[in-house]
Amino acid sequence: MKNLKFILYGMVFSIILVKVEAVSWFRIVEMFHFQSFHMYGVMFSGIITAFIGVQFIKKYKVLELKPKPFQKYANSIGGTFFGLGWGITGACTGPLYALIGLNLWPALIVLFGAFLGTFIFAATKNRLPF
């Protein structure tokens, strides 16, 4: 099982998300109502960690990083759907697995919707105008 380390990384990440309450619907609502800095702090720490990681990858040439082209309409539409789904369900795709692990079974419906959206995009990708 050569991919076991990725499963373990995912499990640790899920534990961290639960412990910092990033999977809490109430914390997400607080963030959207600008009532608490908690979720912004979680996201900013992720951005800083990612920045440090990318700088490390660039400096030591661990991977070849190629910039993706900016697609105005595709990014706007995709971001809008992602944001709407996140706001309506109170969970983005990362914490979904943690929510399922916490026996919050309605998260399976959201996960199904995320997979359905992925399959619909894959089926229509070549016919989209962008």
Side-chain angles (χ1 to χ4, degrees):
M1 246 209 189
K2 64 180 182 178
N3 292 327
L4 180 63
K5 65 181 175 183
F6 298 112
I7 293 171
L8 294 174
Y9 290 148
M11 290 171 66
V12 170
F13 182 63
S14 292
I15 291 168
I16 291 169
L17 288 175
V18 169
K19 292 297 182 185
V20 301
E21 297 182 1
V23 297
S24 169
W25 184 83
F26 298 105
R27 289 289 188 183
I28 294 168
V29 169
E30 285 178 345
M31 178 188 69
F32 284 126
H33 289 163
F34 300 105
Q35 296 172 337
S36 174
F37 183 76
H38 183 84
M39 287 298 289
Y40 292 112
V42 170
M43 285 192 270
F44 288 144
S45 66
I47 291 169
I48 291 168
T49 303
F51 175 78
I52 292 169
V54 168
Q55 296 309 310
F56 176 84
I57 289 169
K58 285 181 177 180
K59 182 176 181 177
Y60 295 105
K61 296 181 172 83
V62 177
L63 296 171
E64 182 182 348
L65 299 177
K66 298 177 187 173
K68 286 187 166 188
F70 179 71
Q71 299 173 332
K72 180 170 58 171
Y73 296 112
N75 292 356
S76 299
I77 293 169
T80 300
F81 277 109
F82 179 82
L84 284 172
W86 186 23
I88 291 169
T89 63
C92 67
T93 53
L96 277 179
Y97 296 104
L99 291 171
I100 294 167
L102 289 171
N103 291 327
L104 297 172
W105 299 115
L108 284 172
I109 297 168
V110 180
L111 183 64
F112 174 76
F115 281 129
L116 181 64
T118 302
F119 289 126
I120 290 171
F121 173 74
T124 60
K125 179 179 171 184
N126 295 330
R127 290 179 273 169
L128 295 174
F130 37 79

